[in-house]
Amino acid sequence: MPESIDPIFQKLGGARFASALAASGLSEDIKLRLSLPKAVRRFNLPVRMDDGSLRIFTGWRLRYSDCFGPTKGGVRFHPATNEEDLTGLAFRLLLKCAVNGLPHGGAAGGVCVDPKKLSSREVEQLARGYLNALGEEVGPDVDILSPDLGTDAKTMGWMADQFNMTRRACIPGAINGKPPALGGIPGRPGATARGAWNVLRLVLEERRLAAEGLTFAVQGYGSAGGHLARVLQANGLRLVAASDSTSGLHAEAGLDAEAIWEAREAGRGISSLSLPGAQALAASEVLAVKADIIIPAATANQITAEIAARLQCRMILEIANAPISPDAEEIVTSKGIEIIPDVVANAGGITMSHFEWAQNRGGALWSAEEARSRLDTRMIATATRMLQVARSRNVSPAAAAQFLALEQLSAALSR
């Protein structure tokens, strides 16, 4: 294999993937096929603003591999969106589908924009323009779009409507994350949190740790992190620190996860809260507080080498994608901190997206209870396989997840 490919995998999948790949025995042909995305699209999106001016935004869509089936991945509207990050995200989505046995390839896309600075009409025009730019390269048998940072059910509803108008047909399976009235699946809100709790619960049982009384901190009190904080609190764990994009709070005696969620839902940040015994701290400092479990649920690479050196936890539950920077992972593992990997821990969202696609394709209507029950079954099965591989190979769960993904990729690409 060319010497240049190894650094590519280090960059795409991080140290844990590169290490698993080196020990996997995959053929050079498969490694070469995995080293580059299948397709990369870059396009300009003109939007007529409310004041009459014209702005042009840059958008991308990357389909990394369709070896398991039609690609699937989010669309993010975020000011830091760029092609390099989306490439890594699409690759990670491929690994996530592999380890969780989902019949999809990995994809990712987005627009470099701050949607908070746009009106609702402007965001709608951007969403419809993004869908139009993809042309025939989106659809239930080709590439399925889902929400990500800065997009939500309303955004996906606009894209679904635009897709149907361009096709002159109703094809709900092309867009996931829609409102239930437009073919979205009931039970999707909180799916990532529900899946993560199932995974964490099994890991705690494996380590013979009682959940009751364990402390945790959440960096990124958004949809995933906020829902998870409430689930963990309801199951007896104590929230000792939380942050949103601007600020954080810390209280050793505990914070009220519900009160923080209510503030978020009302459009107020954590900085607006005055909770008993709580002290303000910087958003990034939440990761360094003393807690049994640290939950990075914001953006990638938030646990830097500097933060890693100050960690005071026994576990990291990865809810964000790739929250540990490459130069920090060795520090984390050397401190004996167990990593519950993102490709399993945060797979509840993509699994529920798959259910929505399957529901749309089959024409059946699932209840929220049925969708959640199926989600529990799948997440428990994947976490169980991960822990079994970890025991049999005498490796960490994070490494075991990579071996599971590589096993599926090898089977799909050996042709």
Side-chain angles (χ1 to χ4, degrees):
M1 182 176 67
E3 292 183 2
S4 60
I5 293 183
D6 279 331
I8 290 174
F9 288 124
Q10 183 87 12
K11 190 173 186 179
L12 285 171
R16 71 185 72 156
F17 177 79
S19 297
L21 183 65
S24 67
L26 256 64
S27 72
E28 305 306 314
D29 285 354
I30 292 177
K31 291 177 182 178
L32 187 59
R33 292 179 69 177
L34 280 174
S35 67
L36 292 169
K38 178 183 178 70
V40 180
R41 285 283 312 280
R42 179 183 181 277
F43 36 83
N44 295 319
L45 302 170
V47 174
R48 183 68 63 183
M49 309 303 284
D50 290 347
D51 64 4
S53 65
L54 183 70
R55 288 184 62 186
I56 297 179
F57 300 93
T58 303
W60 294 266
R61 187 67 180 175
L62 292 99
R63 300 177 63 221
Y64 206 91
S65 171
D66 57 4
C67 62
F68 298 123
T71 52
K72 171 183 282 294
V75 179
R76 57 179 51 180
F77 287 181
H78 192 274
T81 302
N82 60 71
E83 186 174 318
E84 181 178 340
D85 288 349
L86 291 174
T87 303
L89 187 60
F91 183 79
R92 194 163 293 267
L93 262 291
L94 175 64
L95 297 182
K96 197 175 297 184
C97 289
V99 73
N100 289 279
L102 300 175
H104 302 290
V111 180
C112 184
V113 61
D114 185 351
K116 296 178 183 177
K117 296 182 178 179
L118 302 185
S119 69
S120 178
R121 189 201 68 83
E122 291 166 343
V123 173
E124 178 180 355
Q125 295 307 304
L126 190 60
R128 292 180 182 274
Y130 183 87
L131 189 286
N132 287 341
L134 292 175
E136 296 298 319
E137 295 177 25
V138 60
D141 298 314
V142 183
D143 184 25
I144 306 143
L145 309 186
S146 302
D148 197 352
L149 295 174
T151 56
D152 55 17
K154 180 184 287 188
T155 316
M156 306 320 288
W158 287 326
M159 290 189 185
D161 180 62
Q162 191 67 22
F163 181 85
N164 289 339
M165 285 198 299
T166 60
R167 300 307 193 273
R168 297 184 180 181
C170 292
I171 309 173
I175 311 295
N176 287 168
K178 307 177 297 295
L182 298 179
I185 192 164
R188 182 184 177 93
T192 300
R194 188 181 184 97
W197 166 238
N198 276 311
V199 176
L200 176 62
R201 180 170 54 82
L202 287 183
V203 173
L204 293 178
E205 290 175 2
E206 178 88 359
R207 305 295 177 250
R208 298 183 179 179
L209 291 171
E212 185 80 27
L214 291 179
T215 57
F216 69 99
V218 177
Q219 186 219 23
Y221 214 89
S223 178
H227 272 296
L228 180 56
R230 298 160 71 213
V231 170
L232 297 186
Q233 180 176 274
N235 282 279
L237 287 82
R238 186 169 84 251
L239 176 65
V240 294
S243 70
D244 55 20
S245 60
T246 59
S247 60
L249 287 176
H250 177 221
E252 291 184 9
L255 298 168
D256 186 344
E258 292 291 345
I260 301 174
W261 179 258
E262 288 171 7
R264 176 191 182 275
E265 290 295 276
R268 295 183 286 113
I270 283 180
S271 60
S272 69
L273 294 171
S274 178
L275 300 179
Q279 295 180 331
L281 76 169
S284 61
E285 289 300 306
V286 165
L287 296 168
V289 304
K290 186 175 182 180
D292 294 304
I293 305 165
I294 292 295
I295 304 173
T299 54
N301 298 319
Q302 292 297 301
I303 299 180
T304 61
E306 187 272 331
I307 291 290
R310 296 193 289 122
L311 289 174
Q312 304 178 72
C313 60
R314 67 170 73 185
M315 286 183 181
I316 297 175
L317 180 61
E318 294 186 325
I319 299 304
N321 289 304
I324 303 175
S325 67
D327 61 342
E329 185 141 347
E330 186 175 348
I331 299 172
V332 172
T333 54
S334 69
K335 297 181 74 167
I337 298 171
E338 185 166 32
I339 299 169
I340 306 176
D342 54 353
V343 292
V344 175
N346 72 11
I350 193 171
T351 302
M352 194 65 88
S353 282
H354 163 67
F355 290 165
E356 181 178 337
W357 174 80
Q359 172 188 266
N360 292 159
R361 297 275 288 175
L365 295 177
W366 295 13
S367 68
E369 292 74 18
E370 182 180 5
R372 289 168 182 149
S373 176
R374 292 191 183 205
L375 176 65
D376 292 346
T377 299
R378 272 192 168 270
M379 296 299 299
I380 290 169
T382 299
T384 299
R385 288 197 303 271
M386 176 182 71
L387 292 171
Q388 287 172 344
V389 171
R391 285 194 300 271
S392 64
R393 286 180 172 260
N394 193 28
V395 296
S396 69
Q402 304 301 315
F403 284 122
L404 280 172
L406 285 166
E407 180 181 295
Q408 294 300 308
L409 286 166
S410 177
L413 292 170
S414 296
R415 60 181 190 270

